[in-house]
Amino acid sequence: MKAYQIHDFSAAPQVRSLPDPVPAAGELKIRIHACGLNFADLLMMQGRYQDTPAPPFTLGLECAGEVVGCGEGTSTPLGTRVVIYAGQGGLADYGCFPEESCIPLAQGTSYLEAAGLLIAHGTSHLALDRKAGLRSGETLAVIGAAGGVGLTAVEIGARLGAKVIAVARGAEKCAVARAAGAAITLDSESADLKARLKELGGVDVVYDAVGGALGEAAFRALKPGGRFLLIGFAGGTPPELPLNHALVKNISILGLYWGGMRQIDPEMFRSSVEAVMQDHAKGLLTPHISHVFDLAQIEEAFEMLRSRRSTGKLVIRMAPSTSA
């Protein structure tokens, strides 16, 4: 089989030929049909991600496919279509994953859609619905609103009844965020973000996937009792938050490492993923897939992710048929 592997952090990853894996006890063997790309994959290439495995390992945090083999002690039938978060192994023809990490797909959800939904929508659902407790009528500011997770925060925030202010770079990305449900868009390249957010009445919740100066500016526009969600630092650096403001204004700073919630609260984690998949099956959530690539185009796909030229998710098609 083919797999996109890291063998040494000093060298670029490569597509390699490997023996087909055999599932151990408690594992399912999956014929992988699609794999979503994430900013974390870029960090893993450099050994900088918080959960980077020791080389050699196969990249790809989230994937979807079909059960084609079962290890001892498992009960999932062969042929079951599943979506998987395992932290690695998705950019391959086959993979063996713990059965508890494999969540059955609803009928009508394609492999491509599932691979584009899992981390992005899962992150925003867990952050906004469970962590921040976003309520109808509140104001949500989304920093990096046209990115893979940012668009899902716009969509889920609007579905929860919040007034969503989307902050994105350039008119084209602002238009994408508006189409996803943003009530107001602000161009991060031209707006004095703190001043503009305050002019709009301030915000109750900030969803920051970028960090740096933008995150700090949004933090300073929070209302008393506001919540600041630390989602990621796609801009390169964490925001320098004035903690005296957090104290005086009773602001809650909430970090969310989505993958880590599997260990902290596995029941909440799984129920959130299931809720996302059910909402998609009901037509309430839409995967924002910007581009679909084949494995032969993996370098082009990662370069698009690295340069932040995409709006939404990038998905790699691992198998010819991804519509079922």
Side-chain angles (χ1 to χ4, degrees):
M1 71 169 195
K2 291 181 180 178
Y4 189 62
Q5 282 206 326
I6 289 277
H7 269 237
D8 189 318
F9 293 126
S10 64
Q14 294 181 354
V15 176
R16 297 176 181 270
S17 294
L18 302 174
D20 279 11
V22 177
E27 290 185 339
L28 300 175
K29 180 179 178 180
I30 308 298
R31 171 65 168 112
I32 298 170
H33 284 250
C35 180
L37 300 189
N38 293 274
F39 185 72
D41 290 306
L42 296 176
L43 297 178
M44 274 194 177
M45 291 180 188
Q46 305 166 30
R48 293 173 50 212
Y49 191 57
Q50 55 262 34
D51 271 351
T52 302
F57 66 91
T58 299
L59 288 159
L61 278 74
E62 58 181 336
C63 59
E66 176 188 2
V67 178
V68 294
C70 300
E72 183 180 352
T74 61
S75 58
T76 303
L78 292 174
T80 301
R81 300 165 62 252
V82 295
V83 64
I84 306 124
Y85 176 80
Q88 60 172 304
L91 286 169
D93 292 326
Y94 294 93
C96 293
F97 305 96
E99 185 177 34
E100 62 267 22
S101 298
C102 302
I103 298 175
L105 290 179
Q107 189 167 357
T109 299
S110 73
Y111 294 121
L112 285 175
E113 289 171 328
L117 277 165
L118 182 59
I119 291 180
H121 278 84
T123 295
S124 293
H125 182 271
L126 199 55
L128 296 173
D129 187 70
R130 307 296 172 87
K131 277 263 190 178
L134 181 67
R135 298 182 291 271
S136 179
E138 290 190 314
T139 299
L140 166 69
V142 179
I143 314 301
V149 293
L151 276 175
T152 67
V154 171
E155 183 180 14
I156 290 174
R159 189 174 67 78
L160 292 173
K163 180 177 78 172
V164 179
I165 302 173
V167 181
R169 184 174 57 184
E172 181 181 352
K173 290 188 175 183
C174 283
V176 170
R178 194 176 299 111
I184 298 168
T185 58
L186 299 176
D187 189 334
S188 61
E189 292 187 321
S190 59
D192 179 342
L193 186 57
K194 173 187 169 184
R196 289 291 291 119
L197 290 175
K198 286 195 168 185
E199 287 171 7
L200 293 167
V203 296
D204 298 289
V205 176
V206 171
Y207 180 104
D208 181 17
V210 176
L214 288 176
E216 181 183 348
F219 179 90
R220 291 179 181 273
L222 277 167
K223 299 176 185 177
R227 288 89 79 201
F228 189 91
L229 286 162
L230 288 163
I231 304 299
F233 314 122
T237 59
E240 295 184 6
L241 303 180
L243 297 184
N244 57 319
H245 286 220
L247 186 153
V248 173
K249 296 170 70 176
N250 286 293
I251 290 170
S252 298
I253 300 172
L254 304 167
L256 178 67
Y257 165 39
W258 182 78
M261 289 299 292
R262 286 188 304 163
Q263 286 75 41
I264 296 171
D265 194 332
E267 185 176 341
M268 178 189 288
F269 181 88
R270 188 178 180 94
S271 70
S272 175
V273 171
E274 289 174 343
V276 166
M277 293 301 159
Q278 289 165 9
D279 281 352
H280 172 261
K282 295 174 184 175
L284 300 175
L285 296 177
T286 304
H288 302 286
I289 297 175
S290 172
H291 293 76
V292 177
F293 296 91
D294 294 323
L295 185 61
Q297 302 168 295
I298 188 68
E299 302 298 344
E300 179 185 347
F302 271 122
E303 181 53 36
M304 178 171 282
L305 182 66
R306 190 177 290 111
S307 63
R308 296 172 63 189
R309 288 186 286 116
S310 62
T311 54
K313 288 287 292 188
L314 304 178
V315 179
I316 303 299
R317 182 191 290 110
M318 298 300 304
S321 174
T322 54
S323 60

